[in-house]
């Protein structure tokens, strides 16, 4: 697991051993960033189910202004912090220990908005649709913002919500990447 492009390109990141955390592979991460294109330097990113922080750190390496990393595991957030220090990104990042549903509600009540939201929940939770529903219901994605959800290939993410248009969906092995774009209005 490494940074694919930008600042710190090629730097290897720390990740917990075992299957409790399933970092997004370099192949999938590279394909994902090829699909979404260049990251603006004022972009705000939310990384839900951050794990090692692999994807959020890639956003920072590619120029995002800020990333908030959310995970329900203290151990995972320890790896995120270690990787942020390794890459000298601590000044552009914040970590939040918490459940994704409560965190989305708290961010919304604080008026937080994001240009990119990446969610990679454990496949057995089957919560991709719920994540999309909460993000759009609580209006935490900026107009034109992009929600990326990584799920098991058997799980589909709902696409009939107002203010959302499905942008792209790709399957890589057992992984489905659903990219949903917020309308620009």
């Amino acid at each position: 697991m490494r940074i694919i492009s930008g600042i710190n390109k090629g730097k290897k990141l720390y990740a917990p051993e075992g299957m409790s955390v399933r970092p997004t592979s370099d192949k999938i991460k590279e394909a994902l960033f090829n699909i979404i294109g260049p990251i603006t330097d004022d972009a705000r990113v939310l990384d839900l189910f951050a794990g090692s922080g692999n994807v959020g750190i890639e956003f920072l390496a590619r120029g995002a202004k800020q990333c908030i990393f959310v995970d329900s595991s203290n151990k995972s957030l320890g790896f995120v912090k270690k990787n942020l220090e390794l890459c000298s990104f601590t000044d552009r990042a914040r970590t939040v220990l918490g459940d994704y549903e409560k965190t989305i509600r708290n961010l919304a009540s604080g008026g937080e908005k994001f240009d990119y939201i990446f969610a990679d929940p454990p496949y057995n939770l089957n919560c991709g649709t719920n994540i999309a529903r909460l993000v759009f219901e609580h209006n935490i994605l900026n107009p034109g913002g992009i929600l990326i959800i990584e799920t098991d290939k058997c799980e589909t993410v709902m696409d009939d919500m107002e203010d959302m248009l499905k942008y792209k969906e790709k399957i890589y092995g057992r992984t489905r990447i659903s990219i949903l774009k917020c309308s620009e209005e």
Side-chain angles (χ1 to χ4, degrees):
M1 188 177 65
R2 63 188 173 84
I3 295 177
I4 304 293
S5 185
I7 301 169
N8 294 313
K9 179 180 178 180
K11 186 167 283 209
K12 291 188 177 194
L13 300 174
Y14 298 105
E17 306 239 341
M19 289 303 291
S20 62
V21 174
R22 178 194 30 75
T24 300
S25 73
D26 288 349
K27 176 186 172 188
I28 292 173
K29 189 167 57 167
E30 190 166 10
L32 167 67
F33 281 93
N34 285 338
I35 292 168
I36 63 176
I39 308 303
T40 61
D41 60 1
D42 63 343
R44 295 193 70 236
V45 179
L46 176 62
D47 187 348
L48 295 170
F49 304 91
S52 64
N54 177 24
V55 174
I57 288 170
E58 185 73 29
F59 272 102
L60 292 172
R62 290 173 183 246
K65 179 180 182 177
Q66 181 191 35
C67 185
I68 298 176
F69 296 85
V70 178
D71 206 288
S72 61
S73 162
N74 254 326
K75 184 177 180 182
S76 289
L77 287 179
F79 278 94
V80 171
K81 290 173 185 172
K82 192 173 181 179
N83 286 325
L84 288 167
E85 287 172 15
L86 175 72
C87 298
S88 301
F89 291 151
T90 53
D91 61 327
R92 295 168 41 208
R94 190 168 96 212
T95 58
V96 176
L97 177 65
D99 157 87
Y100 79 96
E101 293 172 306
K102 184 176 179 183
T103 301
I104 288 171
R105 287 184 189 99
N106 288 343
L107 291 168
S109 68
E112 301 264 12
K113 292 244 188 197
F114 302 92
D115 301 292
Y116 299 93
I117 299 174
F118 177 77
D120 182 9
Y123 287 176
N124 65 333
L125 290 183
N126 292 314
C127 62
T129 297
N130 193 46
I131 292 166
R133 184 186 58 74
L134 285 168
V135 164
F136 287 98
E137 182 179 294
H138 290 282
N139 196 27
I140 62 168
L141 199 55
N142 280 324
I146 296 175
L147 170 62
I148 304 138
I149 305 175
E150 182 176 331
T151 60
D152 184 271
K153 71 178 180 181
C154 298
E155 183 181 353
T156 57
V157 176
M158 148 193 303
D159 64 352
D160 62 350
M161 290 173 271
E162 276 187 40
D163 299 328
M164 179 196 79
L165 61 100
K166 190 167 234 171
Y167 184 53
K168 200 155 211 155
E169 191 171 74
K170 292 280 191 176
I171 294 178
Y172 303 93
R174 79 171 273 213
T175 300
R176 177 187 304 267
I177 300 290
S178 299
I179 301 172
L180 311 163
K181 188 171 184 181
C182 186
S183 65
E184 309 227 8
E185 299 171 0

